Amino acid sequence: MASDSRTEVKLMEAVPVPPLNLAAQFAAIRAELLDELQAVAESGYYVLGPKVAAFEEALARYCGVKHALGLSSGTDGLLVALMALGIGPGDEVIVPAFTFFATAGTVVRVGARPVFCDVAPQTFNIDVAQAERRITARTKAIIPVHLYGQLADMPALLAVAARHNVPVIEDAAQAVGATLPDGRMAGALGRMGVLSFYPTKNLGAMGDAGALLTNDDDLLELARKLRVHGSGHTYYHDRVGGNFRIDALQAAILTIKLKHLDRWTAQRRRRAARYTELINAAGLAPEHVRPPQEIHGRHVYHQYVLRVDRRDELMAFLQQRRIGAGVYYPLPLHLQTCFAGLGHKAGDFPHAEKAAADVIGLPIYPELTDDQQDAVVGALTAFYRR
Ligand SMILES: *Cc1c(COP(=O)(O)O)cnc(C)c1O
């Protein structure tokens, strides 16, 4: 028996586990997508237009928000949100120190100052009490990030924001479909919410795309103008905007994929639960690895992120075995070279720094198989039992 199960572990380790399998997702909905791609090609309408309007309507309905505006990317969504609030030089925007770069990079691009805030160790999301302490007379927005697909503590954050009259822009790039316990959705809770449809996101285009969500009619109209160089009427410009348009092709693809999103999310959640079961059954937790905790409503597992011992060694071990694990993110934003001018040093945001040192994301996507998951946990077990 003992030698049999050892052979089994060896065999399982030979199963490569790519970080993603977008080709398999395409194969599963090939006919539907090709029909739409052909329809767009034949329509001759390639940027904005009826496919985009239809997508915006479907997305707004799905997210339970009055308006959705299709944009060129999630990054541009953050930029448009900041521009629509008139944020610029002299202003401060509070952002978590542990997130994808765009959350803070866009603040600098409009000329404002990102004010970093530590994260809560259980969820990796903004520490709301610290965010409140960092509000000043210059604070013009707070950008919580729903990292890895779990909502930040939005009820607490919205209460703080209301008390200080500071707008909240949700960076929901990783969290389409995540909900609070009461069912309200990521991106629909703040003054504006931003989604990304980068191909690796839970709802992915075949290129770059994003969206802005809001219940505010005036902000929607302003953002719509900013999307086309601040122009209401072609060639007459009320404001300086940019080219933040979304392609008709991307909108058509996303409209099809949106119909499958809840099923894909359920599959991600089943995969996440199975990872945790396998890890617990292997006796790896909590000594060597700490699985993610679902604390604030429905987690959509854009990433399944563990805290682990000897992270960099484990990462190398998994790479050798062709397991597409990833580190999201190895360096917190306050320690990035491009933000050196803000004067931060190691030790300023200890939870962000600790997360950067010990997180690892295991491959997770709807198309992942049982064998692949077994191989991943088999490799974790082999690493910690050596
Ligand atoms: C992906 C992502 C973005 C940026 O989205 P793009 O569509 O790639 O520009 C912003 N914030 C977070 C947290 C993201 O994960």
Side-chain angles (χ1 to χ4, degrees), residues 128-129 131-133 135 142 155-166:
V128 175
E132 180 165 29
R133 291 196 298 276
I135 293 174
I142 304 174
L157 186 75
L158 291 171
V160 164
R163 200 149 60 231
H164 297 270
N165 197 23
V166 175

Side-chain angles (χ1 to χ4, degrees), residues 180-192:
L180 285 177
D182 66 12
R184 283 182 301 155
M185 278 212 179
L189 304 162
R191 183 78 58 87
M192 285 175 277

Side-chain angles (χ1 to χ4, degrees), residues 81-101:
L82 292 162
M83 291 168 83
L85 290 174
I87 293 172
D91 297 336
E92 296 177 354
V93 178
I94 297 173
V95 299
F98 186 65
T99 171
F100 178 63
F101 179 76

Side-chain angles (χ1 to χ4, degrees), residues 79 81-93 106-107 109-113 138-143 167 169 239:
L79 208 51
L82 292 162
M83 291 168 83
L85 290 174
I87 293 172
D91 297 336
E92 296 177 354
V93 178
T106 47
V107 172
R109 284 178 61 194
V110 297
R113 179 187 177 91
R138 288 183 297 276
T139 306
K140 292 292 153 51
I142 304 174
I143 310 184
I169 302 168
R239 292 271 301 251

